[in-house]
């Protein structure tokens, strides 16, 4: 989310990497609705209900999907084991494809 990333650029941030079964859905539930007013009605103890002030300043930038979470993890935690494993797999596939092309 470019707007969310820009609004965080000049503020102190803490990046979290949550590792658990169904982590994205669980974290989104803890965060609450992206509009703090809605979050206060739906889940008064969610993070956005407690700390958000508007949809643009809602206290939490959370990955909305698994794919987005993987992209965010690679960006924010480039040395995480999962990212290294995926990078190694990509390099192996690239070498295998490269060798296969030269054999023909």
């Amino acid at each position: 989310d470019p707007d969310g990333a820009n609004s965080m650029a000049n503020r102190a941030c803490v990046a979290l990497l949550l590792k658990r079964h169904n982590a994205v859905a669980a974290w989104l539930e803890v965060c609450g609705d992206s509009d703090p007013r809605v979050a206060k009605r739906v889940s008064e103890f969610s993070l956005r209900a407690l700390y958000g002030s508007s949809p643009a300043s809602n206290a939490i930038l959370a990955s909305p999907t698994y794919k987005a979470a993987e992209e965010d993890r690679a960006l924010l935690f480039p040395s995480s084991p999962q990212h290294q494993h995926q990078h190694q797999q990509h390099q192996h596939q690239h070498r295998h494809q490269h060798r296969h092309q030269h054999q023909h």
Side-chain angles (χ1 to χ4, degrees):
D1 163 44
D3 293 331
N6 288 334
S7 71
M8 291 189 327
N10 295 320
R11 299 181 184 160
C13 296
V14 175
L16 302 173
L17 178 60
L18 178 62
K19 296 174 84 173
R20 62 160 278 176
H21 177 70
N22 212 10
V24 172
W27 182 242
L28 290 174
E29 186 174 334
V30 169
C31 291
D33 193 272
S34 60
D35 183 335
R37 293 171 297 210
V38 174
K40 287 175 185 175
R41 286 194 310 268
V42 175
S43 180
E44 65 182 304
F45 298 109
S46 68
L47 295 174
R48 289 177 174 146
L50 295 169
Y51 303 109
S53 58
S54 72
S57 183
N58 65 17
I60 306 288
L61 178 62
S63 306
T65 65
Y66 179 79
K67 182 179 182 203
E70 286 297 311
E71 292 168 358
D72 292 343
R73 183 187 45 75
L75 176 68
L76 297 169
F77 301 95
S79 62
S80 68
Q82 180 68 17
H83 179 66
Q84 290 176 347
H85 178 70
Q86 288 176 343
H87 182 69
Q88 290 169 350
Q89 282 183 324
H90 177 73
Q91 285 180 328
H92 175 74
Q93 289 171 350
H94 180 71
R95 281 193 298 260
H96 180 71
Q97 289 172 349
H98 187 66
R99 268 189 260 150
H100 184 68
Q101 289 172 349
H102 287 291
Q103 291 174 353
H104 292 288

